[in-house]
Amino acid sequence: MIELYTAATPNGHKVSIALEELGLEYRVHPLDFNKKEQKAPDYLKINPNGRIPAIIDRDAGDFAVFESGAILLYLAEKTGQLLPADAKGRSQVIQWLMFQMGGVGPMQGQANVFFRYFDEKIPSAIARYQNETRRLYEVLDTRLQSVDFLAGDYSIADIATYPWVRVHEWAGVSVDGLTGLQAWMQRMAERPAVQRGLAVPERAKESEKLVQTAQSMLTR
């Protein structure tokens, strides 16, 4: 059993999608940012950085893993799926995974902050991060003009990248003209496991409702 500590963000969705794709049994623990549950002492024992997502692998001596990219690698290695065994294939997946972790996520995240959340609108900062995010999208598009998925076959690199690119409008970044990227986004959106993963942590709320309903019936 995997315990998943998460919220409805791109980084959180990376791990829930991976868990769905891998068919692993997991239990969802939604964290409420408004209540700063990600900074609670008990959670900091799992993730000392106080961010989501994080997991605990109950089948591996309650082993905790934090940082979304590290979690994806751990789950792929645990199951032998979504990451090739050969050195070159493995490296190619990791290269594109690191491209997301070091590029798309941080740059688009800053675009979100300055475009949506920052009280003072600073045009130069907004343009800086939106333009860099668009440039990174163009790199993805060039790659996806010749392959269906970032490392050739479907992998954790695609799972890491899609939750960010799918919310490009929130950062004020266009994907117009990026036909390879758009086609890949459609392929990703059509995958049932991706759809299920994007529904988390709502799934936890539904589970709680079922438990509450069952308990109420028992006490009648």
Side-chain angles (χ1 to χ4, degrees):
M1 167 73 77
I2 300 291
E3 308 284 355
L4 171 61
Y5 297 83
T6 192
T9 72
N11 285 336
H13 285 147
K14 293 178 191 178
V15 179
S16 53
I17 290 171
L19 288 165
E20 290 291 340
E21 290 282 9
L22 295 168
L24 291 171
E25 183 181 6
Y26 68 102
R27 180 163 44 219
V28 182
H29 302 272
L31 298 186
D32 189 333
F33 292 162
N34 292 325
K35 297 178 181 178
K36 296 186 177 181
E37 291 179 345
Q38 77 277 18
K39 304 297 184 183
D42 286 347
Y43 183 67
L44 291 175
K45 294 177 183 177
I46 302 168
N47 182 353
N49 195 33
R51 302 290 181 88
I52 63 94
I55 64 168
I56 296 176
D57 188 348
R58 296 298 187 196
D59 299 327
D62 293 347
F63 184 65
V65 187
F66 68 96
E67 288 297 323
S68 59
I71 296 170
L72 292 179
L73 285 167
Y74 177 81
L75 294 175
E77 290 172 343
K78 176 184 175 71
T79 60
Q81 300 179 60
L82 301 174
L83 181 66
D86 67 287
K88 290 182 179 179
R90 176 185 172 86
S91 177
Q92 196 165 53
V93 169
I94 293 175
Q95 288 173 57
W96 286 106
L97 174 62
M98 294 303 110
F99 179 82
Q100 187 283 312
M101 296 295 299
V104 175
M107 293 300 102
Q108 188 170 334
Q110 291 301 310
N112 287 341
V113 168
F114 284 100
F115 183 61
R116 291 284 179 183
Y117 302 118
F118 212 60
D119 291 337
E120 180 185 358
K121 298 304 178 186
I122 306 173
S124 59
I126 293 171
R128 156 85 174 101
Y129 290 112
Q130 287 180 337
N131 290 341
E132 179 61 7
T133 301
R134 170 69 187 204
R135 186 191 70 79
L136 295 169
Y137 283 5
E138 291 170 359
V139 174
L140 293 171
D141 181 67
T142 298
R143 172 64 174 167
L144 291 164
Q145 292 288 343
S146 58
V147 294
D148 285 343
F149 298 103
L150 290 172
D153 294 328
Y154 185 65
S155 73
I156 55 174
D158 303 285
I159 292 172
T161 307
Y162 176 67
W164 281 95
V165 178
R166 70 181 283 270
V167 294
H168 62 92
E169 291 180 347
W170 188 250
V173 180
S174 171
V175 296
D176 290 350
L178 305 181
T179 57
L181 183 65
Q182 290 173 359
W184 169 81
M185 291 171 67
Q186 184 63 37
R187 285 191 291 275
M188 293 295 295
E190 291 173 352
R191 296 183 68 89
V194 170
Q195 295 168 12
R196 293 194 301 272
L198 291 173
V200 174
E202 289 301 316
R203 177 176 127 168
K205 294 180 182 178
E206 292 303 316
S207 297
E208 290 173 4
K209 289 179 183 178
L210 290 173
V211 170
Q212 291 171 357
T213 300
Q215 290 175 337
S216 66
M217 291 177 68
L218 290 172
T219 55
R220 286 177 182 173

